[in-house]
């Protein structure tokens, strides 16, 4: 089946598609698919690995054009107005997209790329696990109840918990388009339990499994009724490559975890047959 005749993937209300990628360290991505602004931002990264990671994230998003209903090379991106401060500092949007166009978000961190697409506002974030001393310095950005939960853990377990909390908060910030501020210490996104504060109203916050070196999360406005997670092969962002299986993506029901945020662990692997499993290390 040719690309021109391949069925276009679609998302219904409550659908959420999440993509994980570990870019190749050996082969360069398809740089020619990026626009001038993206190449300029990529060149601003000092380290080659960071430039490649940025490019891979944006190429992956472009090649999900079946969802965005626009061919990769024709896509142009801008920023929506920030709901807190005004001006074009909010969520990324596709230029010229109609009111029914899907929403999207992307994140990259030290070898990992995460992309989310939904019919409602969505934010994703992936975080490399921090060093213990960084957790001590940055813990003040957490909600007081989250800090208590963190302190109750054995010291070796705190970096992973901190990264999970940070990923949830960053995903919410991207989804709402509000930007970083005192908000992070005011909103509770911890593990829940008796007496715990309420979570962010009107949003579904889900953890995304991504290997032992990272933590990841996605936040979507409204209820995430059907969710699917795919791991993209590294060649999906190389010259001549493509994102596999978007026309056959199967959406599964979200598993609800009592007294905790939703988890997506049981959804990994429910991808199209030609989408290869890749661990984020």
């Amino acid at each position: 089946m040719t690309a021109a005749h391949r069925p276009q993937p679609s998302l219904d209300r409550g659908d959420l598609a999440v993509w994980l990628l570990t870019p190749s360290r050996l082969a360069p991505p398809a740089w020619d698919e990026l626009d001038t602004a993206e190449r300029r931002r990529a060149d601003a990264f000092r380290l080659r690995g960071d430039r490649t990671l940025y490019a891979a994230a944006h190429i992956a998003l472009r090649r999900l054009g079946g969802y965005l209903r626009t061919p990769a090379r024709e896509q142009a991106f801008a920023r929506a107005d920030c709901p807190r401060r005004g001006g074009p500092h909010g969520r990324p949007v596709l230029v010229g997209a109609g009111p029914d166009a899907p929403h999207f978000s992307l994140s990259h961190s030290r070898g990992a790329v995460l992309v989310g697409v939904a019919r409602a506002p969505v934010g994703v974030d992936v975080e490399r696990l921090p060093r213990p001393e960084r957790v001590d310095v940055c813990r003040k950005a957490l909600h007081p109840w989250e800090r208590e939960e963190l302190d109750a853990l054995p010291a070796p377990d705190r970096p992973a918990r901190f990264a999970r909390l940070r990923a949830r908060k960053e995903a919410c910030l991207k989804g709402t388009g509000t930007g970083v501020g005192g908000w992070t210490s005011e909103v509770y996104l911890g593990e829940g339990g008796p007496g715990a504060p309420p979570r962010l109203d009107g949003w579904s916050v889900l953890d995304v499994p991504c290997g032992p070196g990272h933590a990841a999360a996605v936040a979507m406005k409204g209820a995430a009724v059907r969710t699917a997670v795919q791991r993209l092969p590294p060649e999906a962002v190389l010259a001549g490559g493509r994102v596999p299986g978007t026309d056959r993506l199967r959406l599964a029901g979200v598993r609800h975890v009592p007294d905790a945020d939703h988890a997506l662990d049981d959804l990994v692997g429910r991808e199209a047959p030609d989408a290869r499993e890749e661990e984020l290390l």
Side-chain angles (χ1 to χ4, degrees), residues 66-130:
Y67 285 118
L68 303 182
R69 305 170 188 171
T70 306
R73 296 177 186 273
E74 298 178 14
Q75 295 169 16
F77 299 101
R79 291 278 180 177
D81 288 342
C82 175
R84 289 178 60 189
R85 301 175 181 174
H89 309 297
R91 294 180 288 105
V93 294
L94 186 65
V95 175
D100 293 331
H103 298 258
F104 61 90
S105 180
L106 74 161
S107 177
H108 49 89
S109 176
R110 299 297 178 91
V113 170
L114 186 66
V115 179
V117 184
R119 291 297 302 276
V122 62
V124 301
D125 190 64
V126 59
E127 298 281 341
R128 185 74 175 176
L129 266 59

Side-chain angles (χ1 to χ4, degrees), residues 83-215:
R84 289 178 60 189
R85 301 175 181 174
H89 309 297
R91 294 180 288 105
V93 294
L94 186 65
V95 175
D100 293 331
H103 298 258
F104 61 90
S105 180
L106 74 161
S107 177
H108 49 89
S109 176
R110 299 297 178 91
V113 170
L114 186 66
V115 179
V117 184
R119 291 297 302 276
V122 62
V124 301
D125 190 64
V126 59
E127 298 281 341
R128 185 74 175 176
L129 266 59
R131 296 185 299 273
E133 56 270 24
R134 182 168 179 80
V135 174
D136 294 337
V137 171
C138 297
R139 63 189 304 277
K140 63 182 179 181
L142 301 178
H143 186 279
W145 193 284
E146 293 168 344
R147 292 198 291 267
E148 291 184 12
E149 293 177 356
L150 188 69
D151 293 341
L153 294 174
D157 296 337
R158 292 173 188 169
R161 174 66 64 82
F162 178 85
R164 185 186 309 165
L165 289 167
R166 181 176 174 84
R168 294 172 184 172
K169 290 176 182 287
E170 289 288 336
C172 289
L173 288 169
K174 292 179 179 179
T176 59
T178 55
V180 178
W183 184 95
T184 58
S185 62
E186 297 169 1
V187 174
Y188 175 73
L189 291 172
E191 303 306 303
R199 292 188 180 82
L200 189 64
D201 185 43
W203 285 77
S204 296
V205 183
L206 306 96
D207 293 328
V208 179
C210 57
H214 292 81

Side-chain angles (χ1 to χ4, degrees), residues 29-51:
W31 287 95
D32 62 325
E33 291 188 12
L34 301 179
D35 62 26
T36 301
E38 287 171 319
R39 288 194 291 270
R40 184 172 60 250
R41 286 193 291 269
D43 289 340
F45 287 98
R46 184 172 57 87
L47 299 178
R48 177 183 177 185
D50 292 337
R51 292 195 296 271

